[in-house]
Each structure stands twice: as C-alpha cells, then as structure tokens.
Amino acid sequence: MLTTHPFDDDKLREECGVFGVHGAEGASAIVALGLHALQHRGQEAAGITSYDGKDFHTHRAMGHVAGNFDRDDVIRALGGDVACGHVRYSTTGETALRNVQPLYADLSSGGFAIAHNGNISNAATLRRELVRRGSIFQSTSDTEVIIHLVATSNYRTLLDRFIDALKRVEGAYSLICMTREGMIACRDPLGIRPLVMGRLGESVIFASETVALDVVGADFIRSVDPGELIVVTSGNEIRSHRPFGDHHPRPCIFEHVYFSRPDSIVDGTSIYSVRKAIGAQLAIENPVQADLVIPVPDSGVPAAIGYAQQSGIPFELGIIRSHYVGRTFIQPGDKVRHLGVKLKHNANRALIQGKSIVLIDDSIVRGTTSLKIVQMMRDAGAREVHMRIASPPTRHSCFYGVDTPEREKLLAHKLDIEGMRNFIHADSLDFVSIDGLYKALGEQQRADIRPQYCDACFTGDYPTRLTDLDDHDTGDQLALLAERVV
C-alpha cells in the first residue's frame, strides 16, 4: 500500500504555496519554475491556470510539479501571458483532484481563477449560509467559499465584489486571483501568511517566498503589505488598495522557524540568519556538556550551526539524509515499515560511537520522529543523547493554513518537558523560550499585548476569531474546520 514516510507524519506542514505572473510571454512555464521553488510548501498536488486574452486554461494534477509540468505539451496547452499556480498539501480532509487549485469559475463578469494560501476560520459557517441560499459547491475546500461570496455579492464591479467577499471571511489568506481584466494579489489584514512581489523585465510576479523570485530570475520589489490588495492590469499597471483599515500585523512566526526555505528573505531578514540566531539563543538558554552538535536534517541544520558556534561544541553531520526517497513508498508489513525509517535518515556510526551528542531539531509535534532519531543515535553507540529544540513547545493547533494534528495528539499538550524527555528516551530535553525566539528575531521579548507575530501554536493566543471552532452545536462545521483543505 502507499503510505506516508515515517518521518513525514511528524512535522508541521505548510498547506500550500502560490505563484503568479502577469504580462510575460510563456507565463505558465515561468509559473512552473516558481512552483518548483515552492515545492516544500505542498507536495501532494499542483495546478496552473493561464489566460490568453480570450480563454482560461487549467491543468491540475496530483503529485509533484516535476512529472506534471515538465512536459512541453502541458505547458503549450497553458497559453497566454498571465498565469497563476498552486502547490498544496491536504490535511485530515480529502486528497482529491476537485480540491486542487487554482479553482476556477465562470461568474457573471467572466472567468475567475483563485489560488489561496491559508485557512478561512469561518468557512463552515459561511458555507452553510451559502448552501441555504442556493450555492452548489464542487469541492470541500474553504477557498471555494470565497468564489461563492464574490458571485453572490451585490456590488457592481468585480473588484468591489471581491473586497466585499473578503470582508466577510475570518482567518488567514494570501491570494492570487485572475480575471479577464488582470491579476489581483492580496494578504489578510494581519499578514499571517506571506506574499511578495517582484519583476521580471516588465512583467509583475507574486510568490509565497522570495526564493521563487530568485529561481525565475526576477527582482524582489517588496512584500505585499498586510491588508493590501494589489491590482495589475494591461500594460502591467499596478494599483494598490487598502480596504480593510489599519490593523496590527501578526505574521506567522513559524515561517522563520521552519516553513520558509533557508534561502528566502522574510520581512527583510534572511531566514538562514534567523535560524542560526535561534540556535545561538538555544545554546545560551540551554547549555550542555557534549562532544558534538548534530542537526536533524535538513531543517535542523542552521540552528545547529548557531548552537555549535555559540557553545564552542564542534558541529558534525551525524545523521545522513537520503534525498532520493519520496514522501510515500511501499511498506508490506511491520518489519519492513520499521526498516523504512532508515531509508531517509541513517546514523553516521563511525562519528557517533562513544560520543555525547546534542541533537538539534526545529520542533517536536507528535514526538514519534524524535523517539526514532534518539533511538537511532543510541543504536549507533552514542554515550549520551541530549535533545535541543529551536522553537518553544507546540501545545496548540493552528487554524491559519498549517497542517497541525488535533491538540490531543501534540506531545507538548499531553506532557510536560520531563514527560516529553521520558517519551523520546533522551538524556535531556530543552526548548528555546518564547522570549528567546523573539530575541533571535530582533525583538527584546514577546509583548504581552499585541505581540509582533502569530505564535498561537506555542501560546494559544489566536489573533482572530475562530467562529467555526466556537460553534460546538454544528458537527458539520467542526468537521469542515478540521479538514482545512486549501
């Protein structure tokens, strides 16, 4: 059977990445390259929609960008100089082609395509209202709620109808939309999910991360501001709208910890540099006597470098990762399933044997990966295994577009740190503090009132209403919220 790799079911995962191009010859080929760079943000499905001035064209498929969009016939069929694309994970909801984005609809004003990164936390409430009024849904995605809100708005222009729709939704969104008139890009008023703008020659590009601009050779212009709506029309004319008033931004702090690629720039700061600073802060707060600092690859590498530099303990690659193992593989039986752990990570036994080591990872979610890694180190002859985590304990679920297990499955919700240490069988276990994380990001500490980031997964301080979660009387609403497929 096909199943998730043992190391892939114990990470917080971004649910998607978006990329759009306006005014470039062969726009769909550029989008495909951009999606390659964003593949880490969603590896279950990908899609591209283009517009050639007359017709919209869409290709959506399960699986990676490579294999689906590296064929000439597919790209040729996606003609036009305007295109947008999407890579996605599903969560506990349905993995099906009908949920793959961009989603497309023929509205009264013409074709409308949308690619969404985030999660609408009142989607179930809105969906129930729309269905009652006669809307017919084709997917289980919360993104389709936005399309129906646009379609049923009483405003005259499409832009006003789109703004009207967004004023009714709660939660997190970075959106790239295509119409016959051009492209619209926007972020939610708190800027929880990222979105940047660049230029490739005269064409305008939007992407979830700056690394996607780098890959296609585009110049970074700036981040799309929280609550900003940017319209690009013929001739690549850019107009900025701010229809949501002033809000205190709360971008997702986990972009810095794990989600974004290390070579991306977020809020003007190098992700790689921030992760090294987190590692250094972790060493200041939680020192230990050891022979080696070893990262859990690949996400723990920058923090481990920072920890090693701050502590003076040598950095070594004590775990070797195979980059030729996909997310799924055949596991016929428990014995082979257990051995499959070593397909992706294997201990560097000659280095580890007889040593006291510090393992650095970005987070602990369910704890199953940490348990396996610690045991792998002991099997390789490690004398002591100390675990250090480059984020605070993850005690709360995310409702803003991150694939988080139910809170009851989070190890830090069930156990204190000593209990977690016992669970993973480490000699010691420590996490960077919430104030330490903010220090690594250049802040003095976390503000008690109006903190600078969304850190709800650590603190439980959710920056928006969670309407669907609060409505405990409607099972269907809670089920749709739990799906969180975007």
Side-chain angles (χ1 to χ4, degrees):
M1 69 178 178
L2 288 177
T3 186
T4 305
H5 191 282
F7 281 93
D8 289 324
D9 65 353
D10 192 28
K11 285 287 185 183
L12 297 182
R13 300 182 309 193
E14 254 287 13
E15 289 183 1
C16 49
V18 295
F19 190 95
V21 177
H22 186 281
E25 183 178 353
S28 59
I30 299 171
V31 171
L33 287 174
L35 294 181
H36 271 287
L38 298 175
Q39 187 74 86
H40 60 288
R41 299 184 75 92
Q43 299 183 32
E44 288 187 355
I48 295 176
T49 297
S50 68
Y51 180 61
D52 62 10
K54 180 182 178 183
D55 297 312
F56 287 83
H57 310 276
T58 297
H59 183 80
R60 301 182 298 163
M62 307 306 297
H64 287 188
V65 178
N68 286 314
F69 292 98
D70 55 0
R71 292 164 36 200
D72 288 342
D73 59 325
V74 171
I75 296 300
R76 280 198 303 269
L78 295 167
D81 66 354
V82 181
C84 69
H86 188 271
V87 289
R88 78 182 286 272
Y89 278 119
S90 68
T91 58
T92 56
E94 182 181 26
T95 300
L97 190 60
R98 64 176 178 159
N99 287 323
V100 180
Q101 298 186 31
L103 298 183
Y104 174 82
D106 283 307
L107 306 182
S108 60
S109 56
F112 182 82
I114 182 170
H116 171 205
N117 174 21
N119 186 66
I120 306 306
S121 58
N122 65 336
T125 303
L126 293 170
R127 183 186 182 108
R128 186 177 63 169
E129 175 188 327
L130 287 161
V131 169
R132 202 164 46 225
R133 290 163 50 190
S135 292
I136 300 173
F137 283 76
Q138 302 297 315
S139 74
T140 60
S141 169
D142 59 349
T143 308
E144 192 177 357
V145 169
I146 299 174
I147 294 177
H148 285 275
L149 289 174
V150 173
T152 58
S153 172
N154 292 323
Y155 282 83
R156 186 178 62 84
T157 70
L158 178 61
L159 181 60
D160 286 338
R161 291 161 67 187
F162 184 57
I163 292 171
D164 180 46
L166 294 183
K167 286 183 176 180
R168 296 195 59 194
V169 304
E170 301 167 2
Y173 54 82
S174 284
L175 301 171
I176 297 177
C177 305
M178 291 166 48
T179 72
R180 293 184 303 179
E181 285 72 38
M183 180 169 283
I184 306 171
C186 65
R187 287 176 79 187
D188 65 81
L190 300 183
I192 297 174
R193 301 261 66 85
L195 192 64
V196 298
M197 179 170 59
R199 275 198 182 275
L200 181 63
E202 295 300 315
S203 63
V204 181
I205 296 181
F206 298 99
S208 292
E209 293 184 38
T210 60
V211 66
L213 302 179
D214 297 337
V215 165
V216 303
D219 295 321
F220 170 69
I221 298 175
R222 63 179 178 88
S223 294
V224 177
D225 290 335
E228 184 180 19
L229 189 150
I230 297 176
V231 179
V232 186
T233 55
S234 60
N236 293 316
E237 179 186 350
I238 298 173
R239 288 181 286 126
S240 174
H241 302 263
R242 300 176 187 270
F244 306 114
D246 293 330
H247 295 267
H248 179 70
R250 294 279 299 274
C252 174
I253 202 167
F254 225 93
E255 291 287 344
H256 297 275
V257 173
Y258 174 69
F259 295 141
S260 293
R261 264 180 47 165
D263 45 345
S264 279
I265 305 294
V266 174
D267 298 327
T269 304
S270 159
I271 291 293
Y272 180 79
S273 298
V274 166
R275 289 178 187 165
K276 281 182 61 180
I278 295 172
Q281 185 65 33
L282 184 60
I284 292 169
E285 294 181 354
N286 301 293
V288 64
Q289 294 289 327
D291 300 312
L292 300 174
V293 173
I294 292 174
V296 177
D298 287 323
S299 56
V301 171
I305 293 173
Y307 192 101
Q309 290 177 348
Q310 177 65 40
S311 66
I313 302 172
F315 170 95
E316 294 286 356
L317 296 177
I319 302 171
I320 306 303
R321 179 189 174 193
S322 170
H323 291 268
Y324 304 99
V325 179
R327 293 190 64 253
T328 57
F329 63 103
I330 297 172
Q331 295 179 326
D334 290 339
K335 184 176 181 180
V336 175
R337 184 177 295 113
H338 176 73
L339 293 175
V341 172
K342 293 188 176 182
L343 283 176
K344 197 166 188 178
H345 296 82
N346 193 39
N348 190 346
R349 180 180 294 271
L351 182 72
I352 291 168
Q353 194 162 17
K355 299 293 198 312
S356 174
I357 63 172
V358 186
L359 282 175
I360 309 292
D361 205 354
D362 60 89
S363 60
I364 291 180
V365 184
R366 291 179 176 91
T368 52
T369 294
S370 300
L371 173 63
K372 293 168 185 174
I373 290 287
V374 170
Q375 187 59 50
M376 183 186 294
M377 297 297 97
R378 296 204 186 279
D379 291 344
R383 188 176 77 253
E384 295 177 341
V385 182
H386 303 276
M387 196 87 183
R388 297 293 181 268
I389 306 300
S391 63
T394 303
R395 295 192 170 100
H396 305 270
S397 297
C398 176
F399 300 101
Y400 300 121
V402 176
D403 177 11
T404 314
E406 295 86 354
R407 192 180 180 197
E408 289 71 24
K409 295 182 180 179
L410 295 171
L411 193 65
H413 170 68
K414 298 185 292 185
L415 301 172
D416 60 14
I417 292 178
E418 177 60 18
M420 296 173 72
R421 183 197 68 77
N422 282 327
F423 178 86
I424 68 173
H425 299 160
D427 291 285
S428 70
L429 171 66
D430 281 301
F431 297 75
V432 73
S433 68
I434 189 69
D435 284 340
L437 180 58
Y438 273 81
K439 284 180 182 177
L441 285 160
E443 307 290 343
Q444 290 297 315
Q445 60 184 24
R446 182 187 189 271
D448 292 332
I449 300 175
R450 301 175 71 186
Q452 301 91 329
Y453 294 92
C454 176
D455 52 24
C457 54
F458 305 133
T459 65
D461 178 12
Y462 295 97
T464 74
R465 293 178 58 192
L466 300 174
T467 296
D468 292 341
L469 188 67
D470 292 337
D471 189 347
H472 297 292
D473 297 326
T474 307
D476 290 343
Q477 287 187 343
L478 293 176
L480 284 167
L481 179 65
E483 283 185 355
R484 303 201 311 279
V485 283
V486 295

